[in-house]
């Protein structure tokens, strides 16, 4: 082979190598996403942190309809048993006594005069739309950790593997759970490459779409608390409120009663939490404040019989809804779950239970989720009320609860106040988290 031919072969190889190198560098550069903050027009104020702006009031639907199936996602956590029923912790107001010597009285003291009953003024609850406005900013704790970190990472500039790892960690720390986190990160990666994101606003929009999408469900979120007709007769909607002790069952029952009364519904409250005497008193106070009737039994009475009486009273009085507050703990050796199943069966001798609301405390994270699984298996839970979202930095629990329990989150509790109950709307919720 002549030296001339060798020269040409080497030249062609060098040119090919150079072309490959340049193409590779260009592709690599394109895959890095650089985000630049947009210029803010002079004089325009800095946007204030977003709050929870649910557009409407709490959606209500008539009872008597079957809930459409909402398949649960893959379960990610299998270890540990929830502390429910007789093994649950001692309620916070259980009496505590040490051993003390007491002197026995020698003669009967004169009976104290009965205090005059104080008339409780019936409150006029604010209409739902006005109340929701007030709940802006209640998710601030969740927001500071979750939304701000994510937006900071996505808006910081080039998204390399370390950035994606940080995004994944942020989602995990916010209690989204492993399965949901993986799903969201994969969707974010796809969306961010296909939509060619170039600014923090575009990144925010992608994040909003992906997070909202992860919360969407076909199952309706309306609380079935409106009356319906059975054989031409008006039938009140029956709502059973369940959950372990301290999650906020009584408070949520009271808040929901206020929402219903504000919409001109007549409500009977059933105090089937007969374990804790104070729970019945608490419910009675709620009833008096909103102008609802309460049916209660003696302390230690059979919860099923109290629930039965409440529904009976509701049907006889022709009210619109009967809300039954159940116990998170029991006197008897019967398991809490058996007892709840009994309450439901006994109530259904009178009227169908239209809504079984499981109240979960957002601050308890994984433990609450484990408890919820037990409830779901025993009573047919139709909706979740997630309380104390104002008191946790882990707003991500909403994603996990819904995905893993296969039940829609219908209501969120955002404070201890009587009107701090909001409907759950994925878009509004994500906006509040992102700020
Ligand atoms: N911050 C905050 N506190 C709440 C919320 N919901 C309820 N609480 C508080 O949580 C505590 C427990 O609420 P309860 O309604 O008594 O709980 P429960 O599930 O009925 O409790 P048991 O009757 O013991 O089973 C109370 O101090 C409520 O004020 C909420 O959304 N946010």
């Amino acid at each position: 082979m002549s030296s001339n031919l060798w020269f040409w072969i080497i030249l062609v190889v060098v040119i090919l190598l150079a072309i490959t190198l340049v193409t590779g560098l260009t592709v690599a550069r394109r895959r890095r996403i650089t985000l630049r903050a947009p210029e803010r027009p002079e004089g325009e104020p800095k946007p204030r942190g977003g709050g929870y702006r649910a557009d409407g009031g709490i959606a209500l639907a008539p009872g008597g309809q079957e809930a459409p199936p909402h398949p649960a996602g893959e379960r990610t956590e299998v270890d540990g048993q929830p502390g429910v029923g007789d093994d649950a912790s001692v309620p916070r107001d259980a009496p505590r006594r040490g051993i003390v010597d007491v002197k026995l009285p020698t003669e009967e003291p004169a009976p104290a005069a009965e205090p005059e009953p104080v008339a409780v003024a019936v409150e006029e609850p604010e209409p739902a739309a006005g109340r929701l406005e007030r709940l802006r900013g209640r998710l601030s704790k969740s927001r500071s950790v979750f939304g701000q970190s994510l937006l900071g990472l996505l808006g910081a500039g080039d998204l390399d593997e370390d950035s994606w790892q940080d995004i994944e960690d942020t989602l995990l720390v916010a209690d989204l759970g492993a399965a949901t986190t993986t799903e969201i990160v994969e969707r974010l990666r796809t969306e961010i490459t296909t939509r060619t994101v170039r600014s923090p606003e575009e990144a925010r929009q992608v994040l909003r779409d992906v997070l909202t999408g992860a919360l969407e469900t076909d199952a309706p979120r309306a609380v079935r608390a409106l009356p319906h007709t059975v054989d031409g007769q008006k039938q009140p909607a029956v709502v059973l409120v369940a959950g372990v002790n301290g999650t906020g069952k009584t408070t949520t029952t009271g808040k929901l009663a206020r929402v219903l009364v504000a919409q001109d519904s007549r409500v009977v409250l059933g105090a089937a939490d007969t374990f804790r005497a104070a729970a019945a008193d608490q419910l009675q106070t709620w009833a008096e404040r909103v102008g609802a009737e309460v049916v209660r039994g003696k302390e230690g009475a059979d919860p099923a019989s109290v629930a039965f009486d409440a529904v009976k009273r509701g049907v006889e009085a022709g009210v619109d809804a009967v809300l039954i507050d159940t116990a998170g703990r029991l006197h008897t050796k019967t398991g809490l779950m058996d007892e709840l199943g009994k309450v439901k069966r006994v109530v259904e001798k009178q009227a169908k239970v239209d809504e079984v609301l499981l109240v979960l405390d957002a601050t308890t994270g994984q433990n609450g989720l484990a408890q919820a699984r037990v409830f779901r298996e025993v009573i047919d839970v139709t909706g979740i009320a997630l309380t104390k979202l104002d008191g946790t930095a882990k707003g991500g629990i909403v994603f996990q609860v819904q995905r893993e329990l296969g039940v829609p989150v219908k209501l969120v509790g955002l404070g201890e106040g009587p009107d701090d109950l909001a409907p759950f709307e994925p878009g509004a919720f994500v906006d509040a988290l992102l700020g």
Side-chain angles (χ1 to χ4, degrees), residues 408-422:
V409 175
K410 293 189 171 179
L411 300 168
V412 286
L414 290 162
E416 294 190 75
D419 293 326
D420 297 339
L421 185 72

Side-chain angles (χ1 to χ4, degrees), residues 91-93 242-253 255 273 275-276 278-280 282 286 325-329 359 361 386-391 412-417 420-421:
R92 59 189 181 286
D93 53 358
V244 294
N245 57 307
T247 50
K249 292 182 297 298
T250 310
T251 311
T252 305
T253 309
K255 288 174 179 176
D273 181 352
F275 179 78
R276 196 166 70 87
Q282 206 181 325
W286 276 103
D325 178 28
T326 64
R329 218 181 121 80
V359 181
D361 176 342
L386 197 62
T387 58
K388 309 187 194 181
L389 260 176
D390 55 308
V412 286
L414 290 162
E416 294 190 75
D420 297 339
L421 185 72

